[in-house]
Amino acid sequence: MNPEDSKIITLARAARARNGSAEGAAVRDETGRTYAATDVALTALKLSAVQVAAAMAISSGATSLEAAALVSEGAPSPDDEAVAAELGVGELLVAGPDGTLRG
């Protein structure tokens, strides 16, 4: 794994741990800026960590993503994979809570 991908996995792990959330995600946009987020589980709003991180990037002016990472005990949802693909990410990086990349 390249150092930049390792960095977004670390950011996703830190966000997840800091908030005690089920998921943490981080994305890197076309200019190299990174955004980290956790899932949102409100009564009126439910978003995955990947969706929140991607929305943060897009709302900050990003037009595409170079990479996206999800840290979770579970697998990414089809929606997470679709968001990553729509923004130009070939493969969503998925790691367990310990940071071990799953393929």
PDB file of all heavy atoms in Angstrom, residues 8 11-12 15 23-29 33-40 47-71 80 83-84 87 89 92:
ATOM      1  N   ILE A   8      -4.908   7.780   4.574  1.00  0.00           N
ATOM      2  CA  ILE A   8      -6.367   7.915   4.681  1.00  0.00           C
ATOM      3  C   ILE A   8      -6.970   6.792   5.521  1.00  0.00           C
ATOM      4  O   ILE A   8      -7.977   7.010   6.191  1.00  0.00           O
ATOM      5  CB  ILE A   8      -7.087   8.100   3.321  1.00  0.00           C
ATOM      6  CG1 ILE A   8      -6.922   6.901   2.408  1.00  0.00           C
ATOM      7  CG2 ILE A   8      -6.665   9.397   2.656  1.00  0.00           C
ATOM      8  CD1 ILE A   8      -7.804   6.970   1.153  1.00  0.00           C
ATOM      9  N   LEU A  11      -6.482   8.085   9.014  1.00  0.00           N
ATOM     10  CA  LEU A  11      -7.469   9.133   9.303  1.00  0.00           C
ATOM     11  C   LEU A  11      -8.845   8.537   9.566  1.00  0.00           C
ATOM     12  O   LEU A  11      -9.568   8.976  10.475  1.00  0.00           O
ATOM     13  CB  LEU A  11      -7.539  10.133   8.148  1.00  0.00           C
ATOM     14  CG  LEU A  11      -6.328  11.036   7.959  1.00  0.00           C
ATOM     15  CD1 LEU A  11      -6.447  11.808   6.643  1.00  0.00           C
ATOM     16  CD2 LEU A  11      -6.196  11.990   9.129  1.00  0.00           C
ATOM     17  N   ALA A  12      -9.232   7.545   8.784  1.00  0.00           N
ATOM     18  CA  ALA A  12     -10.532   6.892   8.972  1.00  0.00           C
ATOM     19  C   ALA A  12     -10.587   6.164  10.316  1.00  0.00           C
ATOM     20  O   ALA A  12     -11.604   6.236  11.024  1.00  0.00           O
ATOM     21  CB  ALA A  12     -10.797   5.922   7.820  1.00  0.00           C
ATOM     22  N   ALA A  15     -10.944   8.818  13.120  1.00  0.00           N
ATOM     23  CA  ALA A  15     -12.294   9.380  13.194  1.00  0.00           C
ATOM     24  C   ALA A  15     -13.242   8.390  13.864  1.00  0.00           C
ATOM     25  O   ALA A  15     -14.042   8.757  14.732  1.00  0.00           O
ATOM     26  CB  ALA A  15     -12.791   9.740  11.793  1.00  0.00           C
ATOM     27  N   GLU A  23     -18.386   3.051  11.833  1.00  0.00           N
ATOM     28  CA  GLU A  23     -17.597   3.231  10.612  1.00  0.00           C
ATOM     29  C   GLU A  23     -16.801   4.521  10.660  1.00  0.00           C
ATOM     30  O   GLU A  23     -17.259   5.522  11.199  1.00  0.00           O
ATOM     31  CB  GLU A  23     -18.503   3.352   9.380  1.00  0.00           C
ATOM     32  CG  GLU A  23     -19.348   2.175   9.060  1.00  0.00           C
ATOM     33  CD  GLU A  23     -20.202   2.426   7.828  1.00  0.00           C
ATOM     34  OE1 GLU A  23     -20.424   3.587   7.434  1.00  0.00           O
ATOM     35  OE2 GLU A  23     -20.646   1.432   7.248  1.00  0.00           O
ATOM     36  N   GLY A  24     -15.650   4.479  10.042  1.00  0.00           N
ATOM     37  CA  GLY A  24     -14.857   5.674   9.778  1.00  0.00           C
ATOM     38  C   GLY A  24     -14.454   5.630   8.321  1.00  0.00           C
ATOM     39  O   GLY A  24     -14.244   4.554   7.761  1.00  0.00           O
ATOM     40  N   ALA A  25     -14.389   6.771   7.692  1.00  0.00           N
ATOM     41  CA  ALA A  25     -13.974   6.823   6.286  1.00  0.00           C
ATOM     42  C   ALA A  25     -13.127   8.061   6.074  1.00  0.00           C
ATOM     43  O   ALA A  25     -13.213   9.036   6.828  1.00  0.00           O
ATOM     44  CB  ALA A  25     -15.180   6.853   5.354  1.00  0.00           C
ATOM     45  N   ALA A  26     -12.322   7.996   5.033  1.00  0.00           N
ATOM     46  CA  ALA A  26     -11.549   9.163   4.613  1.00  0.00           C
ATOM     47  C   ALA A  26     -11.408   9.097   3.102  1.00  0.00           C
ATOM     48  O   ALA A  26     -11.347   8.010   2.520  1.00  0.00           O
ATOM     49  CB  ALA A  26     -10.183   9.202   5.282  1.00  0.00           C
ATOM     50  N   VAL A  27     -11.387  10.271   2.508  1.00  0.00           N
ATOM     51  CA  VAL A  27     -11.214  10.373   1.057  1.00  0.00           C
ATOM     52  C   VAL A  27     -10.125  11.388   0.764  1.00  0.00           C
ATOM     53  O   VAL A  27      -9.844  12.274   1.567  1.00  0.00           O
ATOM     54  CB  VAL A  27     -12.532  10.771   0.337  1.00  0.00           C
ATOM     55  CG1 VAL A  27     -13.623   9.738   0.594  1.00  0.00           C
ATOM     56  CG2 VAL A  27     -13.006  12.150   0.743  1.00  0.00           C
ATOM     57  N   ARG A  28      -9.513  11.243  -0.408  1.00  0.00           N
ATOM     58  CA  ARG A  28      -8.519  12.197  -0.897  1.00  0.00           C
ATOM     59  C   ARG A  28      -9.019  12.709  -2.236  1.00  0.00           C
ATOM     60  O   ARG A  28      -9.308  11.927  -3.133  1.00  0.00           O
ATOM     61  CB  ARG A  28      -7.155  11.504  -1.047  1.00  0.00           C
ATOM     62  CG  ARG A  28      -6.032  12.439  -1.452  1.00  0.00           C
ATOM     63  CD  ARG A  28      -4.672  11.753  -1.471  1.00  0.00           C
ATOM     64  NE  ARG A  28      -4.614  10.636  -2.404  1.00  0.00           N
ATOM     65  CZ  ARG A  28      -4.530   9.355  -2.057  1.00  0.00           C
ATOM     66  NH1 ARG A  28      -4.496   8.993  -0.793  1.00  0.00           N
ATOM     67  NH2 ARG A  28      -4.470   8.413  -2.977  1.00  0.00           N
ATOM     68  N   ASP A  29      -9.118  14.041  -2.366  1.00  0.00           N
ATOM     69  CA  ASP A  29      -9.641  14.607  -3.609  1.00  0.00           C
ATOM     70  C   ASP A  29      -8.533  14.785  -4.641  1.00  0.00           C
ATOM     71  O   ASP A  29      -7.366  14.462  -4.396  1.00  0.00           O
ATOM     72  CB  ASP A  29     -10.421  15.900  -3.357  1.00  0.00           C
ATOM     73  CG  ASP A  29      -9.562  17.098  -2.996  1.00  0.00           C
ATOM     74  OD1 ASP A  29      -8.323  17.052  -3.139  1.00  0.00           O
ATOM     75  OD2 ASP A  29     -10.143  18.118  -2.570  1.00  0.00           O
ATOM     76  N   ARG A  33      -6.285  17.055  -1.036  1.00  0.00           N
ATOM     77  CA  ARG A  33      -6.915  17.351   0.258  1.00  0.00           C
ATOM     78  C   ARG A  33      -7.627  16.103   0.770  1.00  0.00           C
ATOM     79  O   ARG A  33      -8.169  15.326  -0.009  1.00  0.00           O
ATOM     80  CB  ARG A  33      -7.929  18.488   0.126  1.00  0.00           C
ATOM     81  CG  ARG A  33      -7.299  19.830  -0.208  1.00  0.00           C
ATOM     82  CD  ARG A  33      -8.350  20.902  -0.379  1.00  0.00           C
ATOM     83  NE  ARG A  33      -9.187  20.548  -1.533  1.00  0.00           N
ATOM     84  CZ  ARG A  33     -10.132  21.312  -2.043  1.00  0.00           C
ATOM     85  NH1 ARG A  33     -10.404  22.481  -1.486  1.00  0.00           N
ATOM     86  NH2 ARG A  33     -10.827  20.922  -3.078  1.00  0.00           N
ATOM     87  N   THR A  34      -7.608  15.929   2.097  1.00  0.00           N
ATOM     88  CA  THR A  34      -8.256  14.774   2.700  1.00  0.00           C
ATOM     89  C   THR A  34      -9.410  15.202   3.595  1.00  0.00           C
ATOM     90  O   THR A  34      -9.392  16.298   4.174  1.00  0.00           O
ATOM     91  CB  THR A  34      -7.261  13.938   3.522  1.00  0.00           C
ATOM     92  OG1 THR A  34      -6.661  14.769   4.520  1.00  0.00           O
ATOM     93  CG2 THR A  34      -6.188  13.328   2.635  1.00  0.00           C
ATOM     94  N   TYR A  35     -10.377  14.321   3.685  1.00  0.00           N
ATOM     95  CA  TYR A  35     -11.568  14.548   4.501  1.00  0.00           C
ATOM     96  C   TYR A  35     -11.870  13.250   5.229  1.00  0.00           C
ATOM     97  O   TYR A  35     -11.907  12.188   4.609  1.00  0.00           O
ATOM     98  CB  TYR A  35     -12.771  14.918   3.622  1.00  0.00           C
ATOM     99  CG  TYR A  35     -12.504  16.097   2.724  1.00  0.00           C
ATOM    100  CD1 TYR A  35     -11.902  15.919   1.488  1.00  0.00           C
ATOM    101  CD2 TYR A  35     -12.831  17.388   3.126  1.00  0.00           C
ATOM    102  CE1 TYR A  35     -11.626  16.996   0.661  1.00  0.00           C
ATOM    103  CE2 TYR A  35     -12.561  18.471   2.304  1.00  0.00           C
ATOM    104  CZ  TYR A  35     -11.962  18.268   1.076  1.00  0.00           C
ATOM    105  OH  TYR A  35     -11.695  19.337   0.267  1.00  0.00           O
ATOM    106  N   ALA A  36     -12.072  13.321   6.537  1.00  0.00           N
ATOM    107  CA  ALA A  36     -12.382  12.138   7.333  1.00  0.00           C
ATOM    108  C   ALA A  36     -13.739  12.332   7.995  1.00  0.00           C
ATOM    109  O   ALA A  36     -14.106  13.461   8.363  1.00  0.00           O
ATOM    110  CB  ALA A  36     -11.312  11.909   8.388  1.00  0.00           C
ATOM    111  N   ALA A  37     -14.475  11.238   8.137  1.00  0.00           N
ATOM    112  CA  ALA A  37     -15.827  11.325   8.693  1.00  0.00           C
ATOM    113  C   ALA A  37     -16.224   9.990   9.315  1.00  0.00           C
ATOM    114  O   ALA A  37     -15.561   8.970   9.118  1.00  0.00           O
ATOM    115  CB  ALA A  37     -16.811  11.683   7.591  1.00  0.00           C
ATOM    116  N   THR A  38     -17.312  10.020  10.046  1.00  0.00           N
ATOM    117  CA  THR A  38     -17.925   8.806  10.576  1.00  0.00           C
ATOM    118  C   THR A  38     -19.363   8.740  10.072  1.00  0.00           C
ATOM    119  O   THR A  38     -19.884   9.708   9.511  1.00  0.00           O
ATOM    120  CB  THR A  38     -17.926   8.790  12.114  1.00  0.00           C
ATOM    121  OG1 THR A  38     -18.650   9.915  12.609  1.00  0.00           O
ATOM    122  CG2 THR A  38     -16.508   8.815  12.661  1.00  0.00           C
ATOM    123  N   ASP A  39     -19.987   7.601  10.309  1.00  0.00           N
ATOM    124  CA  ASP A  39     -21.378   7.448   9.914  1.00  0.00           C
ATOM    125  C   ASP A  39     -22.265   8.342  10.778  1.00  0.00           C
ATOM    126  O   ASP A  39     -21.902   8.721  11.889  1.00  0.00           O
ATOM    127  CB  ASP A  39     -21.814   5.984  10.008  1.00  0.00           C
ATOM    128  CG  ASP A  39     -21.567   5.378  11.383  1.00  0.00           C
ATOM    129  OD1 ASP A  39     -20.424   5.419  11.853  1.00  0.00           O
ATOM    130  OD2 ASP A  39     -22.524   4.869  11.981  1.00  0.00           O
ATOM    131  N   VAL A  40     -23.418   8.685  10.231  1.00  0.00           N
ATOM    132  CA  VAL A  40     -24.410   9.497  10.933  1.00  0.00           C
ATOM    133  C   VAL A  40     -25.658   8.638  11.084  1.00  0.00           C
ATOM    134  O   VAL A  40     -26.166   8.108  10.091  1.00  0.00           O
ATOM    135  CB  VAL A  40     -24.746  10.780  10.134  1.00  0.00           C
ATOM    136  CG1 VAL A  40     -25.883  11.545  10.786  1.00  0.00           C
ATOM    137  CG2 VAL A  40     -23.511  11.651   9.982  1.00  0.00           C
ATOM    138  N   LEU A  47     -26.522   8.316   7.150  1.00  0.00           N
ATOM    139  CA  LEU A  47     -25.505   8.350   6.100  1.00  0.00           C
ATOM    140  C   LEU A  47     -24.332   7.481   6.526  1.00  0.00           C
ATOM    141  O   LEU A  47     -23.952   7.466   7.696  1.00  0.00           O
ATOM    142  CB  LEU A  47     -24.997   9.780   5.870  1.00  0.00           C
ATOM    143  CG  LEU A  47     -25.998  10.799   5.367  1.00  0.00           C
ATOM    144  CD1 LEU A  47     -25.399  12.199   5.427  1.00  0.00           C
ATOM    145  CD2 LEU A  47     -26.422  10.462   3.947  1.00  0.00           C
ATOM    146  N   SER A  48     -23.749   6.800   5.569  1.00  0.00           N
ATOM    147  CA  SER A  48     -22.548   6.024   5.869  1.00  0.00           C
ATOM    148  C   SER A  48     -21.363   6.977   5.987  1.00  0.00           C
ATOM    149  O   SER A  48     -21.409   8.130   5.537  1.00  0.00           O
ATOM    150  CB  SER A  48     -22.283   5.010   4.760  1.00  0.00           C
ATOM    151  OG  SER A  48     -21.821   5.671   3.596  1.00  0.00           O
ATOM    152  N   ALA A  49     -20.288   6.487   6.564  1.00  0.00           N
ATOM    153  CA  ALA A  49     -19.079   7.301   6.698  1.00  0.00           C
ATOM    154  C   ALA A  49     -18.529   7.695   5.332  1.00  0.00           C
ATOM    155  O   ALA A  49     -18.073   8.830   5.135  1.00  0.00           O
ATOM    156  CB  ALA A  49     -18.030   6.549   7.501  1.00  0.00           C
ATOM    157  N   VAL A  50     -18.579   6.788   4.360  1.00  0.00           N
ATOM    158  CA  VAL A  50     -18.109   7.106   3.008  1.00  0.00           C
ATOM    159  C   VAL A  50     -18.960   8.219   2.403  1.00  0.00           C
ATOM    160  O   VAL A  50     -18.436   9.160   1.790  1.00  0.00           O
ATOM    161  CB  VAL A  50     -18.124   5.848   2.105  1.00  0.00           C
ATOM    162  CG1 VAL A  50     -17.847   6.217   0.653  1.00  0.00           C
ATOM    163  CG2 VAL A  50     -17.110   4.827   2.601  1.00  0.00           C
ATOM    164  N   GLN A  51     -20.271   8.142   2.581  1.00  0.00           N
ATOM    165  CA  GLN A  51     -21.147   9.182   2.055  1.00  0.00           C
ATOM    166  C   GLN A  51     -20.854  10.544   2.677  1.00  0.00           C
ATOM    167  O   GLN A  51     -20.816  11.556   1.981  1.00  0.00           O
ATOM    168  CB  GLN A  51     -22.615   8.809   2.278  1.00  0.00           C
ATOM    169  CG  GLN A  51     -23.063   7.630   1.438  1.00  0.00           C
ATOM    170  CD  GLN A  51     -24.426   7.110   1.854  1.00  0.00           C
ATOM    171  OE1 GLN A  51     -24.815   7.191   3.016  1.00  0.00           O
ATOM    172  NE2 GLN A  51     -25.145   6.548   0.891  1.00  0.00           N
ATOM    173  N   VAL A  52     -20.619  10.572   3.989  1.00  0.00           N
ATOM    174  CA  VAL A  52     -20.329  11.840   4.668  1.00  0.00           C
ATOM    175  C   VAL A  52     -18.994  12.406   4.187  1.00  0.00           C
ATOM    176  O   VAL A  52     -18.894  13.596   3.855  1.00  0.00           O
ATOM    177  CB  VAL A  52     -20.332  11.676   6.203  1.00  0.00           C
ATOM    178  CG1 VAL A  52     -19.915  12.982   6.885  1.00  0.00           C
ATOM    179  CG2 VAL A  52     -21.706  11.252   6.698  1.00  0.00           C
ATOM    180  N   ALA A  53     -17.960  11.569   4.120  1.00  0.00           N
ATOM    181  CA  ALA A  53     -16.647  12.050   3.683  1.00  0.00           C
ATOM    182  C   ALA A  53     -16.706  12.561   2.240  1.00  0.00           C
ATOM    183  O   ALA A  53     -16.138  13.608   1.924  1.00  0.00           O
ATOM    184  CB  ALA A  53     -15.605  10.943   3.818  1.00  0.00           C
ATOM    185  N   ALA A  54     -17.400  11.837   1.369  1.00  0.00           N
ATOM    186  CA  ALA A  54     -17.538  12.277  -0.024  1.00  0.00           C
ATOM    187  C   ALA A  54     -18.316  13.583  -0.106  1.00  0.00           C
ATOM    188  O   ALA A  54     -17.934  14.491  -0.854  1.00  0.00           O
ATOM    189  CB  ALA A  54     -18.218  11.196  -0.856  1.00  0.00           C
ATOM    190  N   ALA A  55     -19.369  13.709   0.679  1.00  0.00           N
ATOM    191  CA  ALA A  55     -20.157  14.947   0.683  1.00  0.00           C
ATOM    192  C   ALA A  55     -19.323  16.126   1.174  1.00  0.00           C
ATOM    193  O   ALA A  55     -19.425  17.235   0.638  1.00  0.00           O
ATOM    194  CB  ALA A  55     -21.408  14.774   1.548  1.00  0.00           C
ATOM    195  N   MET A  56     -18.482  15.895   2.177  1.00  0.00           N
ATOM    196  CA  MET A  56     -17.600  16.958   2.664  1.00  0.00           C
ATOM    197  C   MET A  56     -16.662  17.419   1.553  1.00  0.00           C
ATOM    198  O   MET A  56     -16.453  18.618   1.365  1.00  0.00           O
ATOM    199  CB  MET A  56     -16.791  16.474   3.873  1.00  0.00           C
ATOM    200  CG  MET A  56     -17.614  16.252   5.120  1.00  0.00           C
ATOM    201  SD  MET A  56     -16.706  15.396   6.428  1.00  0.00           S
ATOM    202  CE  MET A  56     -15.354  16.509   6.734  1.00  0.00           C
ATOM    203  N   ALA A  57     -16.098  16.469   0.823  1.00  0.00           N
ATOM    204  CA  ALA A  57     -15.178  16.815  -0.262  1.00  0.00           C
ATOM    205  C   ALA A  57     -15.898  17.587  -1.359  1.00  0.00           C
ATOM    206  O   ALA A  57     -15.418  18.643  -1.800  1.00  0.00           O
ATOM    207  CB  ALA A  57     -14.540  15.546  -0.837  1.00  0.00           C
ATOM    208  N   ILE A  58     -17.041  17.096  -1.785  1.00  0.00           N
ATOM    209  CA  ILE A  58     -17.798  17.754  -2.861  1.00  0.00           C
ATOM    210  C   ILE A  58     -18.254  19.144  -2.427  1.00  0.00           C
ATOM    211  O   ILE A  58     -18.150  20.110  -3.187  1.00  0.00           O
ATOM    212  CB  ILE A  58     -19.003  16.892  -3.289  1.00  0.00           C
ATOM    213  CG1 ILE A  58     -18.521  15.561  -3.879  1.00  0.00           C
ATOM    214  CG2 ILE A  58     -19.904  17.627  -4.257  1.00  0.00           C
ATOM    215  CD1 ILE A  58     -17.591  15.687  -5.071  1.00  0.00           C
ATOM    216  N   SER A  59     -18.729  19.265  -1.190  1.00  0.00           N
ATOM    217  CA  SER A  59     -19.198  20.577  -0.731  1.00  0.00           C
ATOM    218  C   SER A  59     -18.049  21.557  -0.530  1.00  0.00           C
ATOM    219  O   SER A  59     -18.272  22.762  -0.426  1.00  0.00           O
ATOM    220  CB  SER A  59     -20.026  20.443   0.546  1.00  0.00           C
ATOM    221  OG  SER A  59     -19.226  20.050   1.628  1.00  0.00           O
ATOM    222  N   SER A  60     -16.810  21.053  -0.508  1.00  0.00           N
ATOM    223  CA  SER A  60     -15.635  21.913  -0.413  1.00  0.00           C
ATOM    224  C   SER A  60     -15.029  22.226  -1.777  1.00  0.00           C
ATOM    225  O   SER A  60     -13.980  22.849  -1.866  1.00  0.00           O
ATOM    226  CB  SER A  60     -14.576  21.253   0.475  1.00  0.00           C
ATOM    227  OG  SER A  60     -15.063  21.145   1.794  1.00  0.00           O
ATOM    228  N   GLY A  61     -15.687  21.754  -2.840  1.00  0.00           N
ATOM    229  CA  GLY A  61     -15.250  22.095  -4.185  1.00  0.00           C
ATOM    230  C   GLY A  61     -14.559  20.999  -4.967  1.00  0.00           C
ATOM    231  O   GLY A  61     -14.163  21.212  -6.112  1.00  0.00           O
ATOM    232  N   ALA A  62     -14.382  19.832  -4.376  1.00  0.00           N
ATOM    233  CA  ALA A  62     -13.748  18.727  -5.105  1.00  0.00           C
ATOM    234  C   ALA A  62     -14.648  18.292  -6.257  1.00  0.00           C
ATOM    235  O   ALA A  62     -15.881  18.307  -6.141  1.00  0.00           O
ATOM    236  CB  ALA A  62     -13.492  17.549  -4.176  1.00  0.00           C
ATOM    237  N   THR A  63     -14.019  17.893  -7.345  1.00  0.00           N
ATOM    238  CA  THR A  63     -14.788  17.387  -8.482  1.00  0.00           C
ATOM    239  C   THR A  63     -14.574  15.893  -8.687  1.00  0.00           C
ATOM    240  O   THR A  63     -15.335  15.257  -9.426  1.00  0.00           O
ATOM    241  CB  THR A  63     -14.414  18.133  -9.783  1.00  0.00           C
ATOM    242  OG1 THR A  63     -13.012  17.988 -10.006  1.00  0.00           O
ATOM    243  CG2 THR A  63     -14.775  19.609  -9.672  1.00  0.00           C
ATOM    244  N   SER A  64     -13.544  15.345  -8.058  1.00  0.00           N
ATOM    245  CA  SER A  64     -13.300  13.905  -8.126  1.00  0.00           C
ATOM    246  C   SER A  64     -12.458  13.488  -6.931  1.00  0.00           C
ATOM    247  O   SER A  64     -11.916  14.322  -6.214  1.00  0.00           O
ATOM    248  CB  SER A  64     -12.590  13.535  -9.427  1.00  0.00           C
ATOM    249  OG  SER A  64     -11.294  14.091  -9.469  1.00  0.00           O
ATOM    250  N   LEU A  65     -12.377  12.183  -6.736  1.00  0.00           N
ATOM    251  CA  LEU A  65     -11.573  11.629  -5.651  1.00  0.00           C
ATOM    252  C   LEU A  65     -10.476  10.750  -6.221  1.00  0.00           C
ATOM    253  O   LEU A  65     -10.703  10.020  -7.188  1.00  0.00           O
ATOM    254  CB  LEU A  65     -12.439  10.788  -4.711  1.00  0.00           C
ATOM    255  CG  LEU A  65     -13.572  11.497  -3.986  1.00  0.00           C
ATOM    256  CD1 LEU A  65     -14.358  10.495  -3.139  1.00  0.00           C
ATOM    257  CD2 LEU A  65     -13.058  12.639  -3.135  1.00  0.00           C
ATOM    258  N   GLU A  66      -9.294  10.834  -5.622  1.00  0.00           N
ATOM    259  CA  GLU A  66      -8.195   9.944  -5.980  1.00  0.00           C
ATOM    260  C   GLU A  66      -8.303   8.625  -5.238  1.00  0.00           C
ATOM    261  O   GLU A  66      -7.894   7.583  -5.756  1.00  0.00           O
ATOM    262  CB  GLU A  66      -6.854  10.578  -5.628  1.00  0.00           C
ATOM    263  CG  GLU A  66      -6.492  11.782  -6.451  1.00  0.00           C
ATOM    264  CD  GLU A  66      -5.148  12.374  -6.051  1.00  0.00           C
ATOM    265  OE1 GLU A  66      -4.584  11.986  -4.997  1.00  0.00           O
ATOM    266  OE2 GLU A  66      -4.658  13.231  -6.793  1.00  0.00           O
ATOM    267  N   ALA A  67      -8.825   8.667  -4.008  1.00  0.00           N
ATOM    268  CA  ALA A  67      -8.901   7.460  -3.183  1.00  0.00           C
ATOM    269  C   ALA A  67      -9.968   7.628  -2.113  1.00  0.00           C
ATOM    270  O   ALA A  67     -10.296   8.747  -1.724  1.00  0.00           O
ATOM    271  CB  ALA A  67      -7.551   7.181  -2.527  1.00  0.00           C
ATOM    272  N   ALA A  68     -10.478   6.494  -1.655  1.00  0.00           N
ATOM    273  CA  ALA A  68     -11.452   6.476  -0.564  1.00  0.00           C
ATOM    274  C   ALA A  68     -11.191   5.236   0.269  1.00  0.00           C
ATOM    275  O   ALA A  68     -10.873   4.169  -0.272  1.00  0.00           O
ATOM    276  CB  ALA A  68     -12.870   6.459  -1.109  1.00  0.00           C
ATOM    277  N   ALA A  69     -11.313   5.375   1.591  1.00  0.00           N
ATOM    278  CA  ALA A  69     -11.080   4.251   2.497  1.00  0.00           C
ATOM    279  C   ALA A  69     -12.205   4.175   3.513  1.00  0.00           C
ATOM    280  O   ALA A  69     -12.716   5.194   3.972  1.00  0.00           O
ATOM    281  CB  ALA A  69      -9.750   4.419   3.223  1.00  0.00           C
ATOM    282  N   LEU A  70     -12.564   2.953   3.848  1.00  0.00           N
ATOM    283  CA  LEU A  70     -13.574   2.672   4.861  1.00  0.00           C
ATOM    284  C   LEU A  70     -12.948   1.780   5.918  1.00  0.00           C
ATOM    285  O   LEU A  70     -12.306   0.776   5.584  1.00  0.00           O
ATOM    286  CB  LEU A  70     -14.772   1.958   4.233  1.00  0.00           C
ATOM    287  CG  LEU A  70     -15.813   1.382   5.196  1.00  0.00           C
ATOM    288  CD1 LEU A  70     -16.538   2.504   5.949  1.00  0.00           C
ATOM    289  CD2 LEU A  70     -16.802   0.498   4.451  1.00  0.00           C
ATOM    290  N   VAL A  71     -13.128   2.143   7.178  1.00  0.00           N
ATOM    291  CA  VAL A  71     -12.701   1.297   8.292  1.00  0.00           C
ATOM    292  C   VAL A  71     -13.959   0.865   9.025  1.00  0.00           C
ATOM    293  O   VAL A  71     -14.724   1.700   9.511  1.00  0.00           O
ATOM    294  CB  VAL A  71     -11.733   2.040   9.240  1.00  0.00           C
ATOM    295  CG1 VAL A  71     -11.448   1.194  10.473  1.00  0.00           C
ATOM    296  CG2 VAL A  71     -10.448   2.385   8.516  1.00  0.00           C
ATOM    297  N   ASP A  80     -21.927   2.715  -0.922  1.00  0.00           N
ATOM    298  CA  ASP A  80     -20.574   3.227  -0.700  1.00  0.00           C
ATOM    299  C   ASP A  80     -19.712   2.998  -1.936  1.00  0.00           C
ATOM    300  O   ASP A  80     -18.984   3.889  -2.373  1.00  0.00           O
ATOM    301  CB  ASP A  80     -19.911   2.543   0.504  1.00  0.00           C
ATOM    302  CG  ASP A  80     -20.489   2.975   1.830  1.00  0.00           C
ATOM    303  OD1 ASP A  80     -21.170   4.015   1.888  1.00  0.00           O
ATOM    304  OD2 ASP A  80     -20.255   2.263   2.821  1.00  0.00           O
ATOM    305  N   VAL A  83     -20.811   5.436  -4.721  1.00  0.00           N
ATOM    306  CA  VAL A  83     -20.338   6.813  -4.499  1.00  0.00           C
ATOM    307  C   VAL A  83     -18.869   6.922  -4.893  1.00  0.00           C
ATOM    308  O   VAL A  83     -18.471   7.840  -5.616  1.00  0.00           O
ATOM    309  CB  VAL A  83     -20.535   7.243  -3.025  1.00  0.00           C
ATOM    310  CG1 VAL A  83     -19.764   8.500  -2.705  1.00  0.00           C
ATOM    311  CG2 VAL A  83     -22.007   7.444  -2.724  1.00  0.00           C
ATOM    312  N   ALA A  84     -18.058   5.982  -4.436  1.00  0.00           N
ATOM    313  CA  ALA A  84     -16.631   6.002  -4.764  1.00  0.00           C
ATOM    314  C   ALA A  84     -16.420   5.912  -6.272  1.00  0.00           C
ATOM    315  O   ALA A  84     -15.638   6.682  -6.846  1.00  0.00           O
ATOM    316  CB  ALA A  84     -15.916   4.862  -4.043  1.00  0.00           C
ATOM    317  N   LEU A  87     -17.266   9.058  -8.265  1.00  0.00           N
ATOM    318  CA  LEU A  87     -16.291  10.134  -8.097  1.00  0.00           C
ATOM    319  C   LEU A  87     -14.900   9.762  -8.599  1.00  0.00           C
ATOM    320  O   LEU A  87     -13.945  10.491  -8.380  1.00  0.00           O
ATOM    321  CB  LEU A  87     -16.248  10.565  -6.628  1.00  0.00           C
ATOM    322  CG  LEU A  87     -17.543  11.246  -6.174  1.00  0.00           C
ATOM    323  CD1 LEU A  87     -17.548  11.451  -4.664  1.00  0.00           C
ATOM    324  CD2 LEU A  87     -17.733  12.572  -6.891  1.00  0.00           C
ATOM    325  N   VAL A  89     -13.069   6.754  -8.099  1.00  0.00           N
ATOM    326  CA  VAL A  89     -12.234   5.814  -7.350  1.00  0.00           C
ATOM    327  C   VAL A  89     -12.418   4.424  -7.938  1.00  0.00           C
ATOM    328  O   VAL A  89     -13.541   3.922  -8.024  1.00  0.00           O
ATOM    329  CB  VAL A  89     -12.607   5.808  -5.847  1.00  0.00           C
ATOM    330  CG1 VAL A  89     -11.833   4.744  -5.099  1.00  0.00           C
ATOM    331  CG2 VAL A  89     -12.372   7.179  -5.245  1.00  0.00           C
ATOM    332  N   LEU A  92     -12.524   0.968  -3.639  1.00  0.00           N
ATOM    333  CA  LEU A  92     -12.678   1.463  -2.281  1.00  0.00           C
ATOM    334  C   LEU A  92     -11.795   0.620  -1.373  1.00  0.00           C
ATOM    335  O   LEU A  92     -11.910  -0.608  -1.357  1.00  0.00           O
ATOM    336  CB  LEU A  92     -14.148   1.352  -1.863  1.00  0.00           C
ATOM    337  CG  LEU A  92     -14.525   1.762  -0.450  1.00  0.00           C
ATOM    338  CD1 LEU A  92     -14.226   3.230  -0.196  1.00  0.00           C
ATOM    339  CD2 LEU A  92     -15.995   1.466  -0.203  1.00  0.00           C
TER     340      LEU A  92
END
